[in-house]
Amino acid sequence: MMALGGILPELLWCLLATLGFGVLFQLRGRDLLWAGFCGVVAWGGWLAGILHSPWLANFIAAVCLTLASEIIARLRGTLAVAYLVPGLIPLVPGAQIYGAMEAAVARNLDAALDQAFATGVIATALVVGILAVSVLVRVASWMIRPAAPAEKGR
Amino acid sequence: MDSRVRVCADTAQRLIENGAEISMAEEAAEGLGRALGADRAECFALPTGVMVSLGDREGHVHTEVRRIRSRVLDLHRMVAIRRALDEACGALTSGRSGESGGVEAFALSLDTAASLPAHSALVRRAGAFLAAGAFALLFGGGWMDGLAAGVIGLAWQSLKDLLVRTDRSHLGVGPGGEDLRGCPDGDTRVRGAAAGIPEVFHAILGGFLVILASGFLGRLVPGIDAAMVGKGGLMLLVPGLAFVQAVRELVSGQLVSSVSRFADVGLTGLGIAGGGAIALEILSRLPATFTGIPA
């Protein structure tokens, strides 16, 4: 089990990185702070899953992030994407892209392919995680919201 | 009807220009059209254009087509536009505002929301410093790596701002023919005018410069891990927005725009990797340290 002393700094760096990206994406005020919180939630999910596999870690992180974004957006009457985009950045496989480049330049094709494959796996896990929650939220909102008169007749 | 279709097209255009998803822009234009009393409201949008049609009870159809030449990510404006839209639709459907007064009032609040000032260059650079530095630390780097990555992030953001400004002074006019020389840096049209420099070029140049600078810092300053610095700096270039939008548009059934966004993600990723690989190739031919002290 990862020590708490190791987790807390990671969550802090993740918070700062998400806040930095929030600023670059023009967020401000409470929206910026909530975006930072979503980044921390995503990284928390990643840490919980990384003990098992990178694929699961990224899937759990994407699910946690999308759920947190949708819930906060509904509570604050704003858009989920405002929290989802900055919060997702820490999960994007930038380090794996770097690893693939480094291995390719060193003519280590096996390692380059490994890293490129890892990049693809992480991206797929993120897509599946976001997709799953987005579809569930869409279905839930259809069930909660009464159909419009025009739709009832169809 | 003309002013109504115009404001619907404006809404969809402003939303996409500030980074909204296609489905959001389409739903916004159609919802506003219906709230404004149109019998039939249709919107078809792509990342590069919008078509809006409103039909009345007599069967007349009014259509407005807009070309979208510039897209930036401004979540603050996107949220403000959406709030203004929700308020206007609520007021119109509850009868709190009249149809013609509602169009004028919403057009005004749309303009206000779409021209909200962006963060100053200083704040954007601070954001880039914070993001790149924190990522280097998150990937396991030390304080020196975080500081070095932050400096590289700040330098990249400054260069990016400079590229946009140079592009603007070179072009002088915006995509719509408007004079942009007096516009502030954060203006959507100004940032869009930098479309003269393709986004993929930014990715290639960014990947190249970030990796080259991190390699040089690693060789010059003992105790700096060039790989950690490079990874932190590279995170500033990753196409996070396009990735999120591609997935969400896939959920909404927007296949054309979703595929184009995935292509954007792939192209940007290849650009970063290509630029970075050239820099790594150059660095591999240089000595491991410039100071004589082992790295």
Side-chain angles (χ1 to χ4, degrees):
Chain A
M1 182 71 74
M2 196 182 288
L4 195 66
I7 291 173
L8 286 180
E10 282 201 25
L11 293 178
L12 176 66
W13 306 142
C14 183
L15 172 71
L16 293 178
T18 314
L19 289 178
F21 266 97
V23 168
L24 290 176
F25 296 157
Q26 304 295 336
L27 279 176
R28 52 198 78 199
R30 287 184 183 175
D31 284 336
L32 181 60
L33 294 177
W34 280 116
F37 172 75
C38 285
V40 171
V41 167
W43 200 254
W46 187 88
L47 288 171
I50 198 64
L51 298 171
H52 305 285
S53 79
W55 194 94
L56 190 67
N58 284 282
F59 174 75
I60 293 173
V63 166
C64 292
L65 170 66
T66 315
L67 266 178
S69 304
E70 294 284 354
I71 291 168
I72 293 167
R74 268 153 186 78
L75 289 176
R76 288 184 46 75
T78 181
L79 302 170
V81 74
Y83 311 117
L84 189 56
V85 177
L88 185 83
I89 300 287
L91 306 175
V92 174
Q96 282 72 19
I97 293 177
Y98 181 90
M101 279 181 333
E102 202 174 33
V105 169
R107 310 285 186 272
N108 188 349
L109 287 184
D110 284 345
L113 280 175
D114 264 0
Q115 290 287 338
F117 183 72
T119 307
V121 166
I122 292 172
T124 308
L126 295 178
V127 168
V128 173
I130 298 171
L131 209 66
V133 178
S134 300
V135 169
L136 283 177
V137 167
R138 197 163 264 255
V139 171
S141 65
W142 286 338
M143 290 168 76
I144 293 165
R145 191 175 56 191
E151 287 171 336
K152 279 180 182 167
R154 282 177 198 166
Chain B
M1 186 63 89
D2 278 350
S3 63
R4 282 185 279 171
V5 72
R6 215 172 294 132
V7 80
C8 290
D10 273 346
T11 307
Q13 182 184 3
R14 298 296 181 104
L15 278 169
I16 296 173
E17 279 179 346
N18 285 293
E21 294 147 30
I22 295 301
S23 52
M24 186 201 295
E26 286 185 348
E27 280 166 22
E30 289 176 2
L32 182 64
R34 279 192 291 274
L36 288 169
D39 203 39
R40 195 168 61 84
E42 302 279 0
C43 176
F44 175 71
L46 289 170
T48 51
V50 173
M51 283 170 267
V52 179
S53 280
L54 296 186
D56 58 23
R57 286 183 184 83
E58 286 80 42
H60 301 121
V61 177
H62 297 256
T63 301
E64 187 90 7
V65 178
R66 297 288 169 84
R67 183 84 168 89
I68 294 169
R69 295 175 201 279
S70 63
R71 290 185 306 278
V72 293
L73 178 56
D74 194 322
L75 294 171
H76 185 51
R77 281 185 195 162
M78 198 201 296
V79 169
I81 293 171
R82 189 59 204 230
R83 280 201 180 124
L85 177 75
D86 288 345
E87 278 172 23
C89 286
L92 284 162
T93 47
S94 67
R96 272 184 282 132
S97 67
E99 205 174 277
S100 60
V103 172
E104 283 169 22
F106 175 65
L108 195 66
S109 53
L110 179 66
D111 274 346
T112 310
S115 54
L116 283 171
H119 285 305
S120 67
L122 195 67
V123 174
R124 289 199 300 274
R125 284 169 203 170
F129 176 87
L130 190 64
F135 269 118
L137 292 164
L138 184 63
F139 291 144
W143 287 105
M144 286 292 283
D145 302 328
L147 188 66
V151 170
I152 288 176
L154 188 148
W156 167 245
Q157 187 62 40
S158 308
L159 180 68
K160 207 173 160 191
D161 287 346
L162 184 72
L163 284 174
V164 172
R165 223 174 299 134
T166 311
D167 206 7
R168 173 174 43 142
S169 61
H170 172 65
L171 293 172
V173 290
E178 63 273 33
D179 186 355
L180 298 178
R181 281 165 294 192
C183 291
D185 281 354
D187 192 296
T188 313
R189 294 166 303 162
V190 173
R191 286 188 276 167
I197 300 174
E199 277 297 314
V200 69
F201 175 77
H202 279 203
I204 296 169
L205 184 68
F208 175 75
L209 290 178
V210 164
I211 298 300
L212 195 68
S214 58
F216 269 83
L217 277 175
R219 282 164 171 76
L220 278 170
V221 186
I224 283 186
D225 183 343
M228 291 299 163
V229 177
K231 285 175 190 174
L234 275 190
M235 292 306 285
L236 288 179
L237 308 168
V238 298
L241 172 72
F243 186 78
V244 170
Q245 284 181 328
V247 178
R248 286 171 67 93
E249 283 172 3
L250 194 65
V251 177
S252 313
Q254 302 281 350
L255 291 182
V256 177
S257 53
S258 175
V259 168
S260 71
R261 304 258 197 216
F262 273 122
D264 188 13
V265 172
L267 201 61
T268 309
L270 282 177
I272 297 168
I278 295 168
L280 282 172
E281 187 70 52
I282 293 170
L283 289 168
S284 70
R285 288 158 204 280
L286 297 175
T289 172
F290 293 156
T291 54
I293 303 166

